[in-house]
Amino acid sequence: MVFSSLLFLFLFLPIVLTGYLLVGRRGDRCFLLGAGLFFYAWGEMFFVFIMLLTMILNFIFALFIETFKKARPVNLFKPRMFLWLAVMLNLGLLVIYKYLSFLTTNVNWMTQALGFSPTLTAPSFYLPLGLSFFTFRSLSYVIDVYRGKMEASKKWVSVFLYFSFFPLAIAGPIARFSEMAPGMFNRVINIELFLTGMKRFIIGLGKKCLIANTLASVADRVFSLPAGQLPAELAWLGVLCYTLQIYFDFSGYSDMAIGLGKLFGFTILENFNYPYISQSIREFWRRWHISLSSWFRDYVYIPMGGNQSGSVRVYVNLIIVFLLCGLWHGAQWTFVVWGLWHGFFIVLERLGSNRRLADFWKPLRHAYVLIVVILGWVFFRSETLSQALGLFQALFGFSRADRLEFPIRLFLNREVALAFLAGTIFSGPIPLGFEKITNHLLAKSGSARKRIVHWGLSFLLVFSLGIIFLASVMSLAGGTYNPFIYFRF
């Protein structure tokens, strides 16, 4: 069950909202905990039991860390021991379900290359939805307790709710307990916050259903074709559609999660900040998937020495971080290369290119970032490295494709063109500009005129949101292509 489904919109969400309001403040956290477990069990019935066991163990480990930090040192029980137990538990699950087959395949390949017969076999596991997000949330909680950034909560309901909060369950953002704690213990729910949440949710739904899904139908068709049969213009269309699809899909889900959080009195931090307007790759990663990049910064990069080490060590640290970032997205060499691709340009900018880049004309800096990011998405979306290399050949006109076999008009219709245009426009800070204009109009108006302008703008906003919601629901009801991009993560 995903947010962009009729089942969620017209059954699950109304029932949960109604129940949440009826149970009152005493039972609302228990109710949301139950709703989160049910939501996850709907798609992962077996893994929800492993998830429950992991939640219990992480809760206990954090309490032990807190207890033995305050007690006199005892050789047998040290906080670090429980930290490592928590790390091994969480990363162990991730390795077993996500990386075991990948590791086994590559070890066998290496032994075969050395002249030995491959002997390792690994059971095939289905990757549970949102496992990577759940693992990183769990690790951040235990590590923050160990570092003394927060105290371990003795209220198990609050901790379990943090681990299983359904808006964050399968697609993030990777919120931290300290960010959600105010909502756990001092929730404020009012009509203004509720309406703000509904607005944000509808905008995210529109991003997903009207832009991302429409462009996904083209991107997936192009990437499913043999790369050698793709003419250059069709290859570029597929890659550009995917560039917009992944942004509006992922940022749309983040918007919906943030909006849902507000409906229940929780503040979830922003996860995207118009990354495609960046002027450097470093800036891109400050704007793209902010919760993930900040997680790697705080829990991997800084503990390795961060910027405080020598220059060579800093560059090695950056490469390691982006290698891990690529692997986090999937157990494939394409993701590894995608991570190293971004790590290479980050290091290049730190070597001094960033200072020279700052002297360039802004449109040229913007073009540089877009080229690097768009070409990086080729690795990210491809199933194999050979497919990625074939797509690069097609992009730069080195394929032997027959343009008559796959003419671009078979893929580019009016609906796709409108979605592409909307995606291009709204990938920039157009809403912020509109907000500035409305604030300017209100500031320049007298009291009587201000009321008229205010009501006019409010009507326009409600009307626009209504159109977006209605169009999204019609799209879902019509059986429009609605892929779930996060099953790989």
Side-chain angles (χ1 to χ4, degrees), residues 2-19:
V2 295
F3 302 155
S4 55
S5 67
L6 297 178
L7 181 65
F8 179 86
L9 292 173
F10 295 105
L11 187 62
F12 180 83
L13 185 57
I15 290 175
V16 172
L17 276 172
T18 304

Side-chain angles (χ1 to χ4, degrees), residues 280-286 293 301 307 314-322 338-355 357 368-369 372-373:
S280 68
I281 300 301
R282 292 175 69 184
E283 182 185 354
F284 174 82
W285 278 99
R286 289 194 294 266
S293 55
Y301 181 64
N307 296 333
V314 168
Y315 304 143
V316 171
N317 291 345
L318 286 169
I319 292 297
I320 291 173
V321 166
F322 278 93
W338 173 78
L340 293 174
W341 171 268
H342 278 268
F344 169 77
F345 284 98
I346 290 284
V347 169
L348 196 65
E349 290 179 4
R350 289 190 67 95
L351 281 169
S353 299
N354 199 44
R355 289 192 294 273
L357 191 64
Y368 149 72
V369 172
V372 171
V373 171

Side-chain angles (χ1 to χ4, degrees), residues 108-265:
N108 285 336
W109 176 82
M110 289 176 63
T111 55
Q112 191 172 17
L114 293 171
F116 300 100
S117 298
T119 56
L120 294 179
T121 58
S124 179
F125 289 105
Y126 169 77
L127 178 62
L129 294 174
L131 177 60
S132 298
F133 294 98
F134 173 76
T135 300
F136 274 24
R137 284 201 308 276
S138 302
L139 285 172
S140 71
Y141 175 70
V142 178
I143 294 172
D144 283 352
V145 170
Y146 176 79
R147 290 177 174 177
K149 292 190 173 182
M150 51 175 279
E151 290 189 359
S153 176
K154 296 179 176 61
K155 298 181 178 179
W156 65 270
V157 174
S158 298
V159 178
F160 286 16
L161 175 57
Y162 162 69
F163 290 142
S164 63
F165 191 44
F166 76 86
L168 307 174
I170 56 177
I174 308 170
R176 304 186 193 180
F177 188 82
S178 57
E179 298 166 2
M180 294 186 64
M184 293 288 184
F185 307 113
N186 299 297
R187 267 188 311 288
V188 176
I189 303 173
N190 53 49
I191 188 64
E192 183 179 355
L193 191 64
F194 186 87
L195 293 176
T196 303
M198 288 297 296
K199 170 188 167 184
R200 190 65 179 269
F201 181 85
I202 291 172
I203 289 172
L205 184 67
K207 282 183 174 183
K208 165 66 178 166
C209 295
L210 304 180
I211 298 179
N213 286 354
T214 303
L215 298 177
S217 63
V218 175
D220 288 353
R221 286 172 64 195
V222 170
F223 275 87
S224 68
L225 296 172
Q229 298 180 20
L230 292 175
E233 62 271 18
L234 185 57
W236 277 108
L237 177 64
V239 173
L240 291 174
C241 282
Y242 184 71
T243 298
L244 292 174
Q245 177 208 348
I246 192 170
Y247 170 65
F248 282 95
D249 199 303
F250 208 169
S251 69
Y253 257 93
S254 293
D255 286 343
M256 285 188 274
I258 291 168
L260 288 169
K262 291 183 184 298
L263 296 184
F264 298 101

Side-chain angles (χ1 to χ4, degrees), residues 95-106:
V95 168
I96 290 171
Y97 279 97
K98 192 169 185 176
Y99 301 109
L100 189 59
S101 178
F102 176 73
L103 291 171
T104 303
T105 301
N106 283 281

